Amino acid sequence: MPRAPYSRMTYPFTAVVGMDDLRLALLLNAVSPAVGGVLVRGEKGTAKSTSVRALAAVLPPVAVVPGCRFGCDPAAPDPGCPDGPHEAGAAARTRPARLVELPVGASEDRLVGSLDLERALTEGVKAYEPGLLAAAHRGVLYVDEVNLLHDHLVDLLLDAAALGTAYVEREGISVRHAARFLLVGTMNPEEGELRPQLLDRFGLTVEVAAPRDPAVRAEVVRRRFASDADPAGFAAAWDDEETALAERIATARARLPRVVLSDAALRQVTAVCAAFDVDGLRADLVTARAAIAHAAWCGREEVTEDDVRVAARLALPHRRRRNPFDAPGLDDETLEQALADSRPEDDGPQDDGPQDDGPQDDGPQDDGGPDGGPDDGGGPGMGSNTYGSDAETHEKDPLPGDGEGAGEPTTAPRGEGGGRTDAAPAPDRAAVPPADPFRTRRLEVPGIGAGAAGRRSRARSERGRVVGSTRPAGAVTRLHLPSTVLAAAPHQLGRGRTGPGLRLAREDLRQATLEGREGNLVLFVVDASGSMGSRARMAAVKGAVLSLLLDAYQRRDKVGLITFRAAGAELALPPTWSVEAAAARLTGLPTGGRTPLAAGLLRAHEVLRVERVRDPRRRPLLVVVTDGRATGARGSDSLGEARRAAGLVASAGTAAVVVDCEAGPVRLGLAASLGQQLGAQTLRLEELGAESLASTVRDVRKAA
């Protein structure tokens, strides 16, 4: 099977050290793109992008209709192709499978294509320019940092991947074309998570991490140096393995239609999905398709229990999340019990465990897991990257993050501790777990921004309601028809109009101005001093901040966390998209000591100053959670310092909200005074809840 010519920028797929789960997930999708793509989660520098880019080079070449911009198959052309109609069996040309990369900053026009509205209005023709979905048809569409992509683009992307068709509907003009591709997204969870609804749309997911064995790490560096020194020579050394892998993919694709999913195997698939209590039926469909693909890859024409086991380990971990702070994972004991319970009663003892009867010659591993360690060879013929050699069997290790305790916060021992006077610092107390989160009221930045798309504050955006029109500087993407007609109307006589048609010129065109919502930088400044009082009170404060973090996640905000206690303030979490990291830092936050309120505000001022330079379009919202007390070293004017720090923050024009945590029958009103200094809205802790706000509105209406 001929392969695509080697690219100097492509690292050989078979030369990647270890990463067995990642390679298997990619190969299963290469065999059957209907599996639904792969989401690769892991820390930076773990060969995620290298592996994905290397896959395209081993995919079989595709035959296309000459001149078709949408890559139609000559044997079965798309009947609705915008460049068609094409005759079946027409002349064909062969080209390598494409790898198309979608950048994080891409627009909707770049993804789905754009219509030349100027030509459509002035010439009366549908001039459509295909986008990246058309270019990726019958190839690989790769989205690096998919968690940073705008939600509406992710929705479009996953819809096209699921339907195999891309739709463009604008200003009464409709275009559709085939878009079947292998979708791969990579992400670093530390930079933010995908919403659970979007996670579910990816077929498989794998967790990757750098190896901890120094010998394996040395081999990674050795191969990287060899590739950088002589890319062509390094690739040539792995050419036999690459060719064999390409042939095996093609063979598995040809075998795929003949693979049988028996009723017994289907019952195992559904039993496993039910055992893990996943939502909907997409998990059952994906697991079944992955099991069929694995059987074809291993050379079998009937799905076995081992195929179901491998498929479940790749298809279910990310579907078990119940809230954004849950870590993906799969419990092996539950999986094995579900498989055992769904076995036919007449099965013999040979199926009592996850192991097979003996080595097989038709799979990369018996159950899809790592082989006990990544490849430790120095080159072709010396390693274990043979994807199912006769001499090897493999045992499955748990995925990173698996296990009963994965992702669960540690609850510190309960200790004594009540409120302390401000005259002396309270002793440190163990971290208190937060109370249950609740739905909060929406906190907004005043005015209209122009930042990244989100769901918090008002902003000019590419999606939303039409609020006006402007004359476009470049191409028109969203025509405002009434304004265009009004601009052209006074010139009709001068342009010699005699019939019913409207004569338009370029200067008549108007672009619609849309108003939607933006995501903001929400910087939390949390008082963790001894003045915050009892464990129950601190648990309530943490629960409130956790609720605000959950709200920030849903509104696509960037978040940061500053805490102040004892001698100063600490940037517990620099601004990031990972609200999970913020929640983890909050849960483990100890309390006690003095209340350096001024230090917390000054640290916030500095962080926001840097972020304005780094991300100038993202407007900040400062949320200060405190009772308003300020204590410092003996003899210092702590309250005066806090007021001056608040004035400095206010002078920068930072929108702020103060959450008043003061409790007890006698209130000093210090938090409200701080809110006035900041020019901020002040809310009592119990007023944060959306239900509290709704009940207040109802009471006002009843009184009226």
Side-chain angles (χ1 to χ4, degrees), residues 7-150:
S7 167
R8 292 182 61 86
M9 299 300 293
T10 303
Y11 189 90
F13 188 83
T14 50
V16 175
V17 178
M19 303 299 174
D20 298 281
D21 282 344
L22 170 58
R23 292 184 295 171
L24 179 61
L26 291 173
L27 290 170
L28 292 183
N29 274 270
V31 172
S32 176
V35 168
V38 185
L39 177 64
V40 187
R41 300 163 43 91
E43 59 196 32
K44 52 187 177 293
T46 49
K48 300 188 298 291
S49 300
T50 297
S51 300
V52 176
R53 294 189 177 104
L55 177 68
V58 296
L59 293 179
V62 296
V64 297
V65 175
C68 178
R69 297 173 297 168
F70 302 88
C72 281
D73 185 355
D78 178 15
C81 177
D83 285 354
H86 307 300
E87 294 184 6
R93 70 178 181 89
T94 301
R95 62 165 173 79
R98 290 175 177 166
L99 172 69
V100 176
E101 298 192 36
L102 175 64
V104 170
S107 65
E108 183 177 334
D109 292 339
R110 186 74 182 98
L111 178 63
V112 301
S114 59
L115 294 168
D116 191 335
L117 293 175
E118 182 177 350
R119 289 190 61 194
L121 288 173
T122 57
E123 302 177 25
V125 297
K126 292 183 181 180
Y128 173 67
E129 184 65 28
L132 295 178
L133 292 179
H137 180 46
R138 305 175 67 198
V140 180
L141 182 59
Y142 172 46
V143 188
D144 193 13
E145 305 294 352
V146 65
N147 52 324
L148 305 183
L149 199 65
H150 292 326

Side-chain angles (χ1 to χ4, degrees), residues 486-642:
L486 288 174
H491 307 289
Q492 296 306 297
L493 291 178
R495 293 172 184 171
R497 172 186 168 187
T498 58
L502 187 67
R503 292 203 171 187
L504 293 175
R506 176 69 176 83
E507 58 268 21
D508 299 329
L509 300 179
R510 295 293 184 270
Q511 177 89 3
T513 301
L514 306 181
E515 182 179 302
R517 293 279 174 178
E518 68 177 358
N520 299 107
L521 165 61
V522 182
L523 181 62
F524 294 93
V525 180
V526 180
D527 186 348
S529 66
S531 71
M532 295 298 283
S534 66
R535 289 176 58 87
R537 183 178 172 198
M538 195 61 203
V541 170
K542 286 188 176 183
V545 178
L546 188 66
S547 303
L548 291 169
L549 282 171
L550 180 59
D551 181 69
Y553 170 85
Q554 294 169 339
R555 301 191 187 282
R556 309 304 292 165
D557 292 319
K558 198 174 181 179
V559 298
L561 177 64
I562 292 174
T563 62
F564 60 93
R565 56 181 289 273
E570 176 189 2
L571 180 60
L573 184 71
T576 176
W577 280 273
S578 179
V579 295
E580 294 83 358
R585 304 288 171 87
L586 177 72
T587 300
L589 177 66
T591 59
R594 297 187 184 275
T595 312
L597 177 58
L601 294 175
L602 290 175
R603 190 63 184 272
H605 176 70
E606 178 61 21
V607 170
L608 293 177
R609 184 188 66 79
V610 173
E611 284 299 310
R612 284 189 181 96
V613 177
R614 182 178 298 163
D615 193 358
R617 297 180 63 223
R618 189 176 294 273
R619 296 190 295 163
L621 176 64
L622 181 65
V623 179
V624 184
V625 184
T626 181
D627 57 7
R629 300 188 183 190
T631 59
R634 185 178 300 276
S636 64
D637 182 13
S638 302
L639 192 56
E641 292 175 357

